Amino acid sequence: MKTVGALLLLSILPAVAQEPVIVGSKKFTESYVLAEIAQRSLGNAGIRAAHRQGMGGTIILWEALRTGQISAYPEYTGTIAEEILKLSPPLSLEAMRQELAQHGVGITEELGFNNTYALVMRRSVAERLGLRTISDLRAHQQLQFGLTHEFIARRDGWTPLAQRYGLATPRVRGIDHGIGYEALRNGSVDVKDAYSTDAKIAENDLVALEDDLRFFPQYKAVFLYRLSLPGPAITQLQSLAGTLDEPRMIRLNAEAERTKDYARAADLYFNTSGSHGETLPHKLLRWTARHLQLAGIALLLSVVVGVPLGIVASRGGALGHAILSITGVVQTIPSLALLALLVPLPFFGISGRTAIAALFLYGLLPIVRNTATGLQDIAPPIRESAIALGLSAAAQLRQIYLPIASRTILAGIKTSAVINIGTATLAALIGAGGLGEPIISGLNLNDHATILQGAIPAAVLALVVQWSFDLLDRLLIPKGLRL
Amino acid sequence: MEALVKLRGVSKTFGAATALHPLDLAVERGKTTVLIGPSGCGKSTLLRLIIRLLEPDRGTVDFDDEPITSANIAERRQQIGYVIQDGGLFPHLTARDNVMLMARHLGRPADESNARLQELCALTRFPADALSRFPVELSGGQRQRVSLMRALALSPRLLLLDEPLGALDPLVRAALQKDLREIFTRLQQTVILVTHDLAEAAYLGDRIVLMNEGRVVQEGTIRDLREKPTSEFVTDFVSAQRSLVLT
Ligand SMILES: Nc1ncnc2c1ncn2[C@@H]1O[C@H](COP(=O)(O)OP(=O)(O)OP(=O)(O)O)[C@@H](O)[C@H]1O
Ligand SMILES: [Mg+2]
């Protein structure tokens, strides 16, 4: 037991010792790609950096940055003004910089592209009609518009746009986003709304018409970072400014979606075509190591806390009853809900800590219950003999009761370990990494192969843990109890 | 007579049921006192009260003219050996570790303990090569010998035996009865032995205490019980056992 504990401790130490720069990302392709580029760029400058993928939406990322759980993440100027600072745009970058500084946050220069709404057309049609800007549409009232319902309804959508540009076209149809691309391809629609860096623009050989009257709000990509970051790290983030125009970003997004691999898109940015990209075995190793680390630390805590609680619970009484009921109730909270409940608490937030805390709470019940049952099941003559010998209470417990209950206790620990391995896949939801990372990415990309990269190793790991415990049984359970 | 243990007005109830009515009893030094009586008459309860597995409701138990209290019980327990019917051996420890557990716990030197272990094996006729076996690997008789060694390990001043031979077959039982008598005599051990069997009581006991329904009915030698019964119960109890032996 002691050696297992020591090994687990050793495996945590390196992670605690060096603090990497943590780059967060939101839950969509472009954010993943930008964060990956930032992490790679820091790494190239010899700064240890990690990418915490797909942590959530604006509020979660901003809170994580403000409270120092992450050090940087990609954001858009329009979002900064409206959702973070709650000031109405247009706001100059300088004005934002001053406001953000009050939160200890800095902002890089613009990366180069603007991710906003755009009107897109097939390249061939646009070229045939000589269309380059939205104003050019005025002369082509015969064109069929297929717009998303959201775009038609938005306050910064179709109606004010048509007014501003004086587009009196009567031929507007509401159509689903995905189907809209299909309609563009087969010619039943000529113009559609899109995000200006949508990978589909490149895939379908479309062009975005220039917003020549600057109607759409500006969503220029930048990096937000903590002002407390070391100078070299800030310099490195700044060096990304002005390096990504729309076509380039579209290409990177397309690459990420085509290969189902954000690292590939980052390769493309650095023109390294795979040499810096992590190989699958290496990634698997990293995910698995992290997975074991999360589950292992949590298990260690569950044992350290659960066994003493089980000892107290074995004595019955109101306290014992309370311990068993509370740990039982914790077990009934769905794991996702437990994570969600922990995230807003001080100390926890979006971090490995939260994942470990949740896993720890989950692992508690089997250990507490088995410890209590194992001790209660000890035959009265054994107890009487131990007392009558004159052993102190502590010695009775340590030398007699716990060893006799060891098989049951170990079975509880095994159950906890297997539960932990399974539940730890959810840690990726709050950016804590592990084998859940490919599962979540796979779900986002709707890519089964990626999901399996996480699901299969997690299942294998659960089996291996189970077998290891069967071996451990032989080492830890006294021989006299196994005969 | 010089008493090592004296019970003065000791009583015990479990809820509404009275296991022992207020009871006085003196246990003579160097002698074997046998508690006998029908099932449920309070024999085991009496032993448990002496070693404080149970707290008496009333009264005191004197050991060496000094009341046993919760403050001195830890020390007293090291001077009292306790053997129960199925041995109460710790299943995860070998015979050797069962016997030496307390000596190790008290930090006795290893060579002293080993010498003691050899002595005990000889005394109880336990084969030394079986010392590394676990309780499940021993026969019932061997288990009781180990249990006895464990009780004797620290050279206790008092030995409490609660039906130590109750679960053994007649041959093993007879052999152990003989060995016990030799051991008690050789060690001049003060013993309280609980048994159901009058023949065993007669064979091992210097004094017999006959109990019924939580009370001492008669104390004396086996001859006293036979020839000067103080009540009909005594006559019945003695004749019931004798008729079993005779028919
Ligand atoms: N822990 C307990 N809780 C309730 N009642 C008990 C308890 N221990 C003993 N008793 C009761 O006290 C009475 C005396 O029990 P005790 O075990 O001393 O009898 P005994 O003379 O040893 O019987 P036996 O020969 O069957 O071992 C019995 O009626 C028994 O049911
Ligand atoms: Mg009894």
Side-chain angles (χ1 to χ4, degrees):
Chain A
M1 232 29 230
K2 272 182 192 150
T3 45
V4 178
L7 282 177
L8 281 170
L9 271 178
L10 276 180
S11 69
I12 332 172
L13 281 178
V16 178
Q18 303 161 270
E19 285 275 312
V21 174
I22 305 214
V23 185
S25 61
K26 294 192 195 178
K27 240 177 158 98
F28 56 86
T29 306
E30 187 168 285
S31 193
Y32 278 110
V33 171
L34 290 173
E36 193 72 27
I37 289 172
Q39 183 228 351
R40 195 74 67 76
S41 164
L42 289 164
N44 289 347
I47 301 163
R48 232 168 76 80
H51 175 190
R52 193 169 284 173
Q53 300 184 356
M55 296 166 62
T58 303
I59 299 306
I60 289 183
L61 271 288
W62 168 248
E63 280 305 313
L65 180 68
R66 214 175 47 80
T67 56
Q69 292 166 26
I70 58 174
S71 302
Y73 81 94
E75 190 50 283
Y76 302 91
T77 51
T79 311
I80 296 173
E82 286 197 66
E83 288 188 53
I84 294 177
L85 301 175
K86 309 226 187 309
L87 299 168
S88 55
L91 204 62
S92 73
L93 206 57
E94 205 37 55
M96 279 186 212
R97 184 163 288 139
Q98 281 173 15
E99 289 288 331
L100 289 168
Q102 295 173 15
H103 299 279
V105 169
I107 180 170
T108 62
E109 295 300 320
E110 290 161 4
L111 301 185
F113 67 89
N114 183 13
N115 183 355
T116 183
Y117 276 110
L119 294 184
V120 296
M121 304 181 65
R122 261 183 303 168
R123 184 180 300 281
S124 55
V125 176
E127 277 171 5
R128 185 161 45 80
L129 301 177
L131 293 175
R132 214 180 45 77
T133 66
I134 298 181
S135 296
D136 293 345
L137 287 172
R138 249 175 269 150
H140 296 274
Q141 307 280 329
Q142 83 286 4
L143 290 174
Q144 175 69 52
F145 284 65
L147 306 175
T148 60
H149 299 283
E150 189 199 345
F151 185 69
I152 293 174
R154 273 179 78 99
R155 279 192 304 132
D156 56 353
W158 171 247
T159 313
L161 174 87
Q163 239 169 35
R164 176 80 175 276
Y165 276 97
L167 300 175
T169 174
R171 313 181 67 174
V172 174
R173 270 201 284 159
I175 193 166
D176 171 83
H177 191 59
I179 298 170
Y181 281 112
E182 194 51 44
L184 261 186
R185 191 162 39 219
N186 67 28
S188 54
V189 151
D190 299 306
V191 182
K192 122 166 210 61
D193 59 307
Y195 294 109
S196 56
T197 54
D198 195 328
K200 295 278 191 328
I201 294 176
E203 266 168 47
N204 296 324
D205 200 23
L206 307 176
V207 286
L209 298 174
E210 191 191 326
D211 178 18
D212 51 330
L213 297 185
R214 303 219 163 277
F215 168 79
F216 290 121
Q218 299 288 296
Y219 285 88
K220 301 277 187 62
V222 293
F223 274 100
L224 294 183
Y225 57 85
R226 290 180 60 75
L227 288 169
S228 59
L229 265 188
I234 295 178
T235 311
Q236 209 54 31
L237 289 175
Q238 284 289 11
S239 75
L240 299 173
T243 62
L244 279 163
D245 55 12
E246 277 92 356
R248 195 164 184 209
M249 194 64 233
I250 291 171
R251 235 176 344 117
L252 297 185
N253 286 340
E255 179 71 4
E257 289 190 5
R258 188 179 64 78
T259 61
K260 319 287 185 201
D261 188 348
Y262 314 116
R264 275 285 179 64
D267 289 339
L268 198 63
Y269 175 88
F270 290 100
N271 280 325
T272 47
S273 58
S275 64
H276 275 261
E278 224 180 341
T279 59
L280 182 61
H282 190 269
K283 276 197 286 193
L284 281 176
L285 206 66
R286 178 167 59 82
W287 289 327
T288 307
R290 175 64 172 164
H291 203 84
L292 282 174
Q293 191 188 42
L294 291 174
I297 297 172
L299 184 67
L300 194 67
L301 289 174
S302 301
V303 172
V304 167
V305 175
V307 171
L309 281 181
I311 292 170
V312 176
S314 75
R315 296 180 183 151
L319 184 59
H321 192 72
I323 289 172
L324 286 173
S325 329
I326 291 170
T327 47
V329 165
V330 169
Q331 193 83 352
T332 65
I333 305 175
S335 30
L336 262 178
L338 189 60
L339 281 176
L341 286 173
L342 288 174
V343 165
L345 298 183
F347 184 70
F348 291 110
I350 304 289
S351 68
R353 276 198 296 263
T354 307
I356 289 171
L359 292 175
F360 154 71
L361 287 173
Y362 263 102
L364 219 44
L365 177 69
I367 296 178
V368 171
R369 196 180 40 203
N370 277 36
T371 304
T373 320
L375 290 174
Q376 280 163 351
D377 284 351
I378 290 174
I382 301 279
R383 286 186 178 275
E384 293 203 336
S385 296
I387 299 168
L389 270 182
L391 284 174
S392 63
Q396 287 166 30
L397 190 64
R398 204 158 36 81
Q399 298 188 34
I400 312 293
Y401 306 150
L402 286 178
I404 292 177
S406 61
R407 184 195 290 270
T408 318
I409 297 175
L410 211 61
I413 296 176
K414 175 160 91 177
T415 308
S416 277
V418 174
I419 291 178
N420 265 358
I421 294 289
T423 316
T425 50
L426 293 178
L429 279 176
I430 53 168
L435 287 165
E437 219 171 82
I439 296 179
I440 308 271
S441 313
L443 285 173
N444 285 341
L445 295 166
N446 193 18
D447 172 40
H448 296 287
T450 309
I451 295 176
L452 289 179
Q453 285 175 11
I456 294 176
V460 171
L461 213 54
L463 282 177
V464 169
V465 164
Q466 183 129 8
W467 291 328
S468 319
F469 268 91
D470 292 343
L471 281 180
L472 214 57
D473 267 15
R474 305 228 178 113
L475 292 176
L476 295 182
I477 295 177
K479 178 159 176 273
L481 298 178
R482 285 183 279 116
L483 292 168
Chain B
M1 151 186 138
E2 203 194 348
L4 177 65
V5 177
K6 254 186 271 170
L7 279 73
R8 293 186 282 132
V10 171
S11 66
K12 182 72 193 173
T13 55
F14 295 104
T18 303
L20 280 184
H21 295 280
L23 176 144
D24 296 305
L25 185 73
V27 175
E28 213 174 327
R29 242 179 250 272
K31 296 282 164 64
T32 299
T33 303
V34 175
L35 303 181
I36 195 166
S39 193
C41 70
K43 307 180 295 289
S44 299
T45 302
L46 203 152
L47 291 197
R48 290 200 177 101
L49 286 168
I50 293 173
I51 198 152
R52 266 297 204 282
L53 290 170
L54 293 173
E55 286 280 325
D57 295 345
R58 295 244 155 63
T60 49
V61 178
D62 289 349
F63 189 97
D64 237 356
D65 297 322
E66 217 183 282
I68 294 181
T69 61
S70 40
N72 62 19
I73 184 60
E75 190 190 329
R76 285 297 178 227
R77 279 179 182 148
Q78 290 171 22
Q79 300 171 337
I80 303 176
Y82 181 60
V83 177
I84 50 184
Q85 179 169 325
D86 66 359
L89 291 180
F90 304 129
H92 63 298
L93 299 178
T94 59
R96 175 183 292 105
D97 291 342
N98 262 285
V99 175
M100 288 293 107
L101 183 68
M102 257 334 263
R104 286 205 190 119
H105 183 64
L106 297 173
R108 300 279 161 88
D111 47 352
E112 185 188 301
S113 299
N114 282 331
R116 178 72 184 145
L117 191 61
Q118 297 314 315
E119 253 173 64
L120 289 166
C121 281
L123 189 69
T124 60
R125 298 175 190 270
F126 183 82
D129 56 1
L131 280 172
S132 340
R133 297 209 202 140
F134 288 96
V136 286
E137 299 171 309
L138 298 171
S139 73
Q142 286 174 324
R143 276 207 285 274
Q144 285 312 69
R145 287 176 201 272
V146 173
S147 197
L148 189 64
M149 285 200 277
R150 185 175 69 184
L152 291 172
L154 298 182
S155 308
R157 301 177 57 198
L158 173 66
L159 194 56
L160 304 177
L161 305 174
D162 193 346
E163 298 187 52
L165 312 180
L168 303 178
D169 75 67
L171 281 178
V172 178
R173 191 177 172 129
L176 257 160
Q177 281 169 343
K178 188 164 155 286
D179 291 344
L180 280 181
R181 188 152 87 163
E182 264 180 50
I183 293 167
F184 297 165
T185 317
R186 170 126 40 111
L187 300 177
Q188 298 206 320
Q189 183 72 48
T190 310
V191 180
I192 306 178
L193 172 83
V194 170
T195 180
H196 270 125
D197 176 6
L198 196 61
E200 184 171 293
Y203 181 68
L204 290 173
D206 298 304
R207 257 175 80 254
I208 296 175
V209 177
L210 178 59
M211 294 176 64
N212 189 29
E213 294 179 346
R215 289 193 171 85
V216 173
V217 180
Q218 185 169 357
E219 296 183 52
T221 60
I222 181 73
R223 171 169 297 192
D224 294 336
L225 295 192
R226 278 204 191 115
E227 296 172 3
K228 290 176 267 172
T230 55
S231 69
E232 204 163 315
F233 171 77
V234 180
T235 319
D236 289 351
F237 189 84
V238 172
S239 62
Q241 297 242 348
R242 194 164 41 191
S243 61
L244 266 180
V245 175
L246 290 177
T247 52

